[in-house]
Amino acid sequence: MMTVCAEQHVNFIHSDAARLLNDIEQRLDQLLPVESERDLVGAAMRDGALAPGKRIRPLLLLLAARDLGCNATPAGLLDLACAVEMVHAASLILDDMPCMDDAQLRRGRPTIHCQYGEHVAILAAVALLSKAFGVVAAAEGLTATARADAVAELSHAVGMQGLVQGQFKDLSEGDKPRSADAILMTNHYKTSTLFCASMQMASIVAEASGEAREQLHRFSLNLGQAFQLLDDLTDGMADTGKDAHQDDGKSTLVNLLGPQAVETRLRDHLRCASEHLLSACQDGYATHHFVQAWFEKKLAAVS
């Protein structure tokens, strides 16, 4: 049974995460204004980025920076977190397009191309990506070297070693028989790489050691796999805010191995992620407790 002290600590972490979430959403609101009623691209950008979502990537960036010892948080750190969310939102807009996953629902709302048309959706995604890099390049309170390093991390996560490669592999191979290793490699590109960028950007701001950065990289790889496996496990559920049964006919690990084996793998990834995280952030535990509580809540709904 959880002690009173431990329970209070967990409650504090949840309330702290809620405050950070509010900070992220307020800053996104400031960074993504709509110029006029006719600014459909601006409106689509806002809808894509500000629709109710988990915001887990920017939250983890802020929590990890603090756990790494970044006590005097520069204003630019919040902007880095918002840039990561803009990249994630842009990737979702593109993933949902009729030429890709052809999704109708995202975060409980009609997808951006359903609301605004395909031409506006494409332009909004491109504009969000552009805005994200501009926000990082102008982030206050960071050195020029830190900003350049953060841009490099985000660029790597977006391109052919990241989201673009993951989506291409999913589209070109997802409906064909694949080995478990091939599926995991697609998951790596689709999901792990943006988590990696988020953690490395936190490390840059916190001026973390090379060893800590390596441990956070390994944490991110395992976290991304766990996150994608959870997404696969919940595919048929009605309350995900997305089209149900999008994975029907696709070669996912759930379809290959079955839900029970996938949940076991997911928990193995979480265990490894925790070990690497705690090695990187030896004096801070907020990120660890947040990740554990978040996944346990989601897994309870699956069981």
Side-chain angles (χ1 to χ4, degrees):
M1 181 178 294
M2 185 180 293
T3 66
V4 173
C5 183
E7 185 174 1
Q8 288 175 343
H9 182 58
V10 170
N11 289 338
F12 172 78
I13 290 170
H14 283 302
S15 63
D16 189 39
R19 286 192 296 273
L20 292 176
L21 178 61
N22 184 63
D23 290 343
I24 292 165
E25 294 183 344
Q26 285 189 357
R27 185 58 178 151
L28 282 170
D29 181 61
Q30 295 169 355
L31 290 169
L32 296 170
V34 175
E35 300 299 331
S36 69
E37 292 182 0
R38 293 180 295 179
D39 183 11
L40 292 181
V41 173
M45 291 170 68
R46 282 181 61 84
D47 279 356
L50 283 165
K54 298 181 286 292
R55 320 272 188 233
I56 193 165
R57 293 160 187 82
L59 273 173
L60 288 176
L61 191 158
L62 296 177
L63 289 169
R66 188 181 301 172
D67 280 349
L68 287 166
C70 190
N71 297 319
T73 305
L77 183 63
L78 181 59
D79 282 1
L80 297 192
C82 288
V84 167
E85 186 66 9
M86 289 179 200
V87 167
H88 178 56
S91 74
L92 297 183
I93 292 172
L94 293 173
D95 288 357
D96 290 340
M97 294 290 291
C99 62
M100 297 206 189
D101 293 347
D102 194 18
Q104 308 298 305
L105 195 66
R106 173 70 70 175
R107 292 177 169 175
R109 299 179 179 184
T111 49
I112 297 301
H113 71 267
C114 287
Q115 293 186 61
Y116 295 94
E118 294 178 38
H119 62 303
V120 173
I122 292 171
L123 294 172
V126 173
L128 277 171
L129 289 171
S130 175
K131 182 69 174 181
F133 285 104
V135 166
V136 175
E140 295 181 6
L142 306 183
T143 66
T145 299
R147 290 195 295 268
D149 289 347
V151 165
E153 290 291 345
L154 200 55
S155 176
H156 182 82
V158 171
M160 285 303 293
Q161 295 302 312
L163 299 174
V164 170
Q165 183 71 272
Q167 184 67 357
F168 176 75
K169 283 184 172 293
D170 201 35
L171 291 170
S172 60
E173 303 172 5
D175 60 348
K176 300 176 177 64
R178 290 186 293 177
S179 67
D181 286 343
I183 295 170
L184 291 172
M185 182 57 67
T186 299
N187 292 350
H188 164 75
Y189 289 121
K190 281 179 60 178
T191 308
S192 293
T193 51
L194 193 53
F195 280 115
C196 288
S198 300
M199 293 299 96
Q200 292 307 309
M201 290 162 78
S203 300
I204 289 166
V205 177
E207 300 180 345
S209 68
E211 175 61 24
R213 292 186 65 164
E214 176 60 26
Q215 291 296 333
L216 282 175
H217 178 70
R218 295 175 185 232
F219 159 72
S220 304
L221 295 178
N222 280 283
L223 180 68
Q225 292 291 348
F227 198 83
Q228 187 59 51
L229 293 180
L230 178 66
D231 189 69
D232 294 344
L233 281 171
T234 59
D235 177 59
M237 296 176 65
D239 60 348
T240 62
K242 302 187 294 184
D243 297 0
H245 303 291
Q246 279 283 92
D247 291 341
D248 286 357
K250 292 180 66 174
S251 53
T252 66
L253 277 184
V254 172
N255 292 335
L256 181 67
L257 304 176
Q260 186 172 356
V262 167
E263 183 173 341
T264 298
R265 281 182 173 235
L266 189 161
R267 292 186 181 279
D268 286 342
H269 281 299
L270 275 182
R271 176 181 51 76
C272 290
S274 293
E275 291 173 359
H276 292 302
L277 179 62
L278 292 174
S279 293
C281 307
Q282 297 179 5
D283 296 323
Y285 303 97
T287 312
H288 173 260
H289 287 307
F290 174 79
V291 169
Q292 293 298 312
W294 191 89
F295 271 96
E296 287 303 328
K297 181 178 179 180
K298 297 296 181 181
L299 287 170
V302 172
S303 302

